[in-house]
Amino acid sequence: MTDAAAASADASDVTSDELPSNRFELELEFVQSLASPAYLHYLATSGILNQKQFLDFLRYLRYWKQPQYAKYLSYPHCLYFLDLLVPPDDDDDDETSTNNNTATTTTSDSGETFRREMAQVQFRNFVHEQQFYSWQYRSARLYGGGEKQLGEQK
């Protein structure tokens, strides 16, 4: 038996129930990688963002939006990008709109427009810029005005 045949025989013995012990860390790392516009651009240009299996995997990763998992995220933008890549189902929107008594606007786009635009370099740069401005604004709000604090210390 050749090495390739032995490897495929070993792979067929592994069931989907056997999961890696570091699955949590792997999924955490991957979800956070979605916060990178450069990585999203790579996925879009390589065609991975259009594969049904990959989109199903992204839908599965929505559980990271639950508070008991979201508290481990260092880059919360990844959840926003996850929603742009695979928007929440209409059923989820109906439940939230009935609970909040507010009208929510849903798009029938299913994320195709965002996935298509991420393949464009100009759009990737625009998203990166907007992300930077958001972090800059958040930092100023959390930690103060920067220069004001320096002036007060003198």
Side-chain angles (χ1 to χ4, degrees), residues 12-137:
S12 64
D13 292 339
V14 176
T15 63
S16 62
D17 295 332
E18 297 177 21
L19 299 171
S21 60
N22 62 343
R23 178 180 175 189
F24 179 82
E25 290 87 4
L26 292 172
E27 289 181 0
L28 173 64
E29 184 177 344
F30 179 76
V31 166
Q32 292 192 112
S33 71
L34 297 177
S36 169
Y39 183 60
L40 294 177
H41 175 74
Y42 164 75
L43 292 174
T45 55
S46 64
I48 294 172
L49 282 183
N50 297 324
Q51 297 175 358
K52 183 185 179 329
Q53 296 89 354
F54 187 73
L55 294 175
D56 290 342
F57 178 64
L58 292 177
R59 285 183 190 91
Y60 159 74
L61 291 176
R62 287 186 191 148
Y63 76 86
W64 282 96
K65 294 172 68 176
Q66 299 172 8
Q68 67 264 28
Y69 297 106
K71 67 182 178 183
Y72 296 105
L73 296 172
S74 298
Y75 305 104
H77 280 118
C78 65
L79 298 177
Y80 180 70
F81 289 139
L82 184 60
D83 279 346
L84 289 173
L85 292 168
V86 284
D89 297 328
D90 292 333
D91 297 337
D92 295 339
D93 290 338
D94 292 340
E95 291 175 11
T96 57
S97 64
T98 56
N99 292 339
N100 296 335
N101 293 330
T102 58
T104 57
T105 306
T106 59
T107 60
S108 60
D109 179 25
S110 73
E112 292 176 31
T113 303
F114 182 75
R115 293 192 303 266
R116 183 179 58 246
E117 291 297 321
M118 275 311 294
Q120 305 299 322
V121 174
Q122 294 93 347
F123 188 75
R124 179 203 63 193
N125 293 341
F126 172 75
V127 170
H128 187 262
E129 253 179 34
Q130 296 305 307
Q131 187 180 44
F132 170 74
Y133 294 143
S134 175
W135 280 109
Q136 191 177 36
Y137 175 79

